[in-house]
Amino acid sequence: MAAFLSGRDSDPSMNDKIDLGGSRRWLLWLVLIWMAASIWILYIKWAGIITLTLPDTDDNMRLQQVRDWLGGQGWFDLRQHRMLPPAGADIHWSRLVDIPLAGLILLFKLFASTAFAERAAAALAPLLSLGAAMLAIALITRRMVERNAWPFGPIMLMFAQMTLGMMSPGRIDHHGWQLALLLFMVLGLIMRRPALGGAVSGLALGLSLAIGIELLPYLGLTACLVALFWVADRREAPRIAAFGAAAAGSAALSLVLFVPPAVRLTGFCDALSIAHVEALAIGGAGLVLLAALPLNHRLVRLAGLVLLGALVTAFTWAWHPQCLGDPSALIDPDARRLWLANVREARPIYRQSIPIQVATLSLPLFGLIGAALALWRSRARPDMLVRWGAVALLASFSLAFCFFQTRAGPAAQALALPGAAALAWMVMQMAERLRPLPRTVVIISGFYLISGLAFQFASDRLPATREKPGAGRSSTFNRQCASLRALAPLNNMPAATMFTLLDLSPRLIVSTHHAAITGPYHRNGKAIADVMKAFGGTADEAHAIVSRYHAGYVLICPGTSESTIYMKRAPRGFYAMLAAGKPPEWLEPVPLAMTTPYRLWRVRN
């Protein structure tokens, strides 16, 4: 350990340029690791792949959006026309993530059926983001720990349960790509060549913003770190110039390529818009200008950055003040109260069960330990000390963010990987001094502990924390409701608009030819609130809402997590009546196959 802490056994001071001569072999090994990991994940997820069981509502909606695009819907028409018909529901996602999924579907359709092509694409598309993340963390580990330690980064990624879950078959929504880009931003931060590093971080930032704003806090912190590098060392001027130009340029190009012309200038804050591009343009131009000025004193450079930050903030406050607050504040107030407050992943980590807390936090905590040891090891090398400090700060910030929202867990685990890899390398160095059998025990035990699997095993045996209604706990009924077999009987009926639960709507649209009112997509807040008011209200209140949306049927699947919200809110309300098999007179039961858990009623005229 002393040798590890002193850094005598490693030499991370390598060139950022990938040596395609003698170092080419490590890239081949990385590809083999990715292929082996992909085969293993495909094997354990096979049952869900062949039944097109997509893990989340967003994954189902992503597939339907791609289907509609390939079926002739316009590139800039992002509305889901089988929600809130006939106008359609506002789905503001980026086509950027649709491209690999659509490309794989078209490829497999050359020699197979559409059903096979969709299943294959849904299985393989997330693995592309896994490959990108493995490349980024391998390069980070090669640069930050030791050039021969690079396998530890990809291997630790396989133990990051939440991060890996965003890159597994069926998880075709955008989160996996955002996490991969987050790692590339870190890679740009630690690259020795300033201009190249700034360009990598800036490009990753712009593309991540084009996909979604979920990682906006991390993007802002990364921009601050790049700027502070320059404050500490004027030789970092090429980094901030390249970063500012790449971030502003990629965001502006993405605005033109992926955002519908009708909404480019509206200043929405919940997705890439003119507000973000203008802020990045001013900030990026300012960074390029500051980099060109002969500012030789640190305090002068810091003052220049403060003035630039004040200028960007003042401009945004004057022209887009809505973007300086919480984007969720724009959601319909009733939708915030009835829906958003019950989203489990939006709750702080301390309000989750103990197993979830352990599964989320164990790797980030070990990553911080590894980063702290690496900081101590780098104390005599200012360049490495600064870069490990940046990595440790990002990891600490992401861990702290989990105490605001649990959904920060995947990013926290991704940002913990450099520190976890360093800690794993330390374990390996210690084990090398032991005999073969103890060495194997130490290595296996070290990986087991660092990954948090041991703590997960222990926490699963603690008394279970009782979930509150509406917490989103999965159940057998949830899995049954999502199955194609359960939904198949609905395809025997003529296409109609179904008034159903929010979380069932995307799966209904993907698996049948029917339409729904809306899913859990916040720009449709009024419809979200109406659906929840109907199921959580009286039969008369529900009748008025169902009639307003001209729904032909009411559909439920008892036992879903969403249903617990309505049972708690109104134990004798509309949903409770349906679940008990006692519908009001304005509904007529429609028989379905005995094999389906769904219950269906026709709305009487």
Side-chain angles (χ1 to χ4, degrees):
M1 181 181 291
F4 174 81
L5 292 177
S6 67
R8 289 194 299 269
D9 288 344
S10 63
D11 180 18
S13 58
M14 57 169 290
N15 196 305
D16 288 316
K17 193 182 299 182
I18 297 174
D19 182 4
L20 296 180
S23 298
R24 181 185 298 176
R25 188 172 298 174
W26 82 269
L27 288 172
L28 175 60
W29 278 108
L30 177 62
V31 172
L32 293 176
I33 290 174
W34 170 69
M35 292 177 63
S38 298
I39 292 171
W40 171 248
I41 298 172
L42 289 169
Y43 171 74
I44 63 177
K45 296 286 185 179
W46 186 251
I49 293 171
I50 60 176
T51 58
L52 196 63
T53 301
L54 303 177
D56 190 79
T57 55
D58 290 352
D59 301 313
N60 285 278
M61 185 52 57
R62 176 72 65 183
L63 177 58
Q64 188 59 47
Q65 292 287 91
V66 171
R67 280 179 180 175
D68 294 341
W69 173 35
L70 295 179
Q73 187 166 317
W75 173 266
F76 289 117
D77 184 2
L78 302 176
R79 300 189 73 83
Q80 178 46 243
H81 294 282
R82 285 170 58 199
M83 281 185 176
L84 286 175
D90 189 355
I91 310 294
H92 60 278
W93 295 344
S94 170
R95 289 283 191 211
L96 179 58
V97 183
D98 292 346
I99 293 174
L101 183 61
L104 287 171
I105 291 175
L106 292 175
L107 174 64
F108 287 111
K109 282 180 68 174
L110 293 176
F111 53 85
S113 66
T114 300
F116 176 88
E118 289 183 347
R119 285 165 170 77
L124 297 179
L127 297 176
L128 298 178
S129 65
L130 175 63
M134 281 188 167
L135 174 61
I137 189 58
L139 288 168
I140 293 170
T141 307
R142 185 173 163 86
R143 173 67 186 90
M144 297 284 285
V145 182
E146 210 275 344
R147 62 185 304 150
N148 294 323
W150 67 264
F152 286 87
I155 290 172
M156 294 311 304
L157 175 57
M158 298 304 296
F159 290 110
Q161 300 175 38
M162 297 184 74
T163 304
L164 188 64
M166 298 297 180
M167 303 172 180
S168 297
R171 202 66 173 94
I172 56 177
D173 196 23
H174 59 268
H175 301 294
W177 289 108
Q178 284 187 303
L179 292 170
L181 289 169
L182 181 61
L183 289 173
F184 273 101
M185 279 196 294
V186 176
L187 174 62
L189 277 177
I190 59 95
M191 294 178 78
R192 289 177 61 87
R193 289 189 288 172
L196 179 60
V200 169
S201 290
L203 180 62
L205 185 151
L207 293 178
S208 179
L209 190 58
I211 293 173
I213 67 163
E214 289 88 346
L215 298 184
L216 193 57
Y218 307 99
L219 308 187
L221 181 55
T222 301
C224 290
L225 288 172
V226 171
L228 290 176
F229 281 2
W230 172 69
V231 170
D233 187 350
R234 187 168 177 262
R235 291 174 296 179
E236 291 286 316
R239 187 184 303 273
I240 66 167
F243 175 83
S250 57
L253 184 60
S254 297
L255 183 71
V256 174
L257 293 179
F258 303 115
V259 178
V263 298
R264 284 175 191 165
L265 305 180
T266 55
F268 284 130
C269 304
D270 57 355
L272 179 66
S273 70
I274 190 63
H276 302 102
V277 172
E278 287 176 346
L280 282 174
I282 296 172
L287 290 178
V288 172
L289 176 61
L290 288 174
L293 295 176
L295 306 178
N296 296 319
H297 198 282
R298 290 180 180 177
L299 290 179
V300 176
R301 294 196 291 272
L302 180 60
L305 285 177
V306 171
L307 288 175
L308 178 59
L311 176 63
V312 173
T313 303
F315 178 87
T316 305
W317 179 80
W319 291 97
H320 309 288
Q322 72 279 11
C323 295
L324 293 177
D326 182 2
S328 66
L330 301 177
I331 299 176
D332 180 272
D334 288 335
R336 284 175 59 86
R337 175 175 56 86
L338 297 172
W339 167 60
L340 196 59
N342 289 291
V343 176
R344 185 172 65 181
E345 65 179 12
R347 298 174 178 175
I349 189 64
Y350 55 81
R351 292 185 57 192
Q352 307 290 354
S353 64
I354 293 178
I356 291 177
Q357 292 176 3
V358 173
T360 303
L361 300 179
S362 54
L363 183 61
L365 288 172
F366 279 111
L368 282 180
I369 293 174
L373 291 173
L375 275 169
W376 177 258
R377 179 193 186 195
S378 305
R379 63 191 183 278
R381 297 196 52 194
D383 60 330
M384 294 302 297
L385 187 66
V386 168
R387 280 153 181 77
W388 268 116
V391 170
L393 181 59
L394 281 166
S396 301
F397 175 80
S398 62
L399 176 60
F401 203 58
C402 290
F403 290 85
F404 175 65
Q405 287 191 340
T406 305
R407 68 180 66 182
Q413 292 187 351
L415 291 171
L417 291 175
L423 189 59
W425 181 248
M426 180 183 70
V427 172
M428 178 67 77
Q429 288 183 317
M430 294 174 59
E432 286 178 351
R433 296 169 174 80
L434 302 174
R435 292 192 299 273
L437 181 59
R439 179 190 308 166
T440 302
V441 172
V442 169
I443 293 173
I444 295 176
S445 301
F447 273 102
Y448 194 60
L449 288 170
I450 293 171
S451 68
L453 293 178
F455 294 94
Q456 179 68 55
F457 180 84
S459 69
D460 286 341
R461 280 145 184 81
L462 294 172
T465 302
R466 188 172 182 177
E467 298 268 5
K468 295 181 180 180
R473 170 183 282 186
S474 62
S475 67
T476 302
F477 276 112
N478 286 61
R479 293 190 292 272
Q480 290 178 353
C481 294
S483 71
L484 296 177
R485 182 180 180 184
L487 288 154
L490 297 174
N491 280 320
N492 297 326
M493 303 169 49
T497 298
M498 303 281 183
F499 196 97
T500 189
L501 305 183
L502 299 173
D503 289 343
L504 293 180
S505 295
R507 188 62 177 169
L508 173 73
I509 289 176
V510 162
S511 305
T512 74
H513 53 249
H514 298 292
I517 304 305
T518 191
Y521 307 109
H522 66 269
R523 284 196 181 179
N524 309 288
K526 181 64 169 60
I528 290 174
D530 284 344
V531 169
M532 300 196 77
K533 287 177 182 178
F535 283 116
T538 65
D540 289 340
E541 291 170 338
H543 190 194
I545 295 173
V546 171
S547 300
R548 189 189 315 152
Y549 285 95
H550 306 288
Y553 296 85
V554 173
L555 177 72
I556 68 168
C557 190
T560 60
S561 56
E562 183 183 338
S563 67
T564 60
I565 301 173
Y566 309 126
M567 295 297 291
K568 177 187 178 183
R569 180 184 170 203
R572 298 182 180 180
F574 178 58
Y575 180 85
M577 295 171 64
L578 298 180
K582 300 177 180 179
E585 293 183 354
W586 53 274
L587 289 179
E588 174 188 354
V590 177
L592 293 174
M594 295 296 293
T595 56
T596 181
Y598 280 92
R599 300 181 189 178
L600 182 67
W601 295 267
R602 181 181 292 108
V603 179
R604 299 181 191 269
N605 294 326

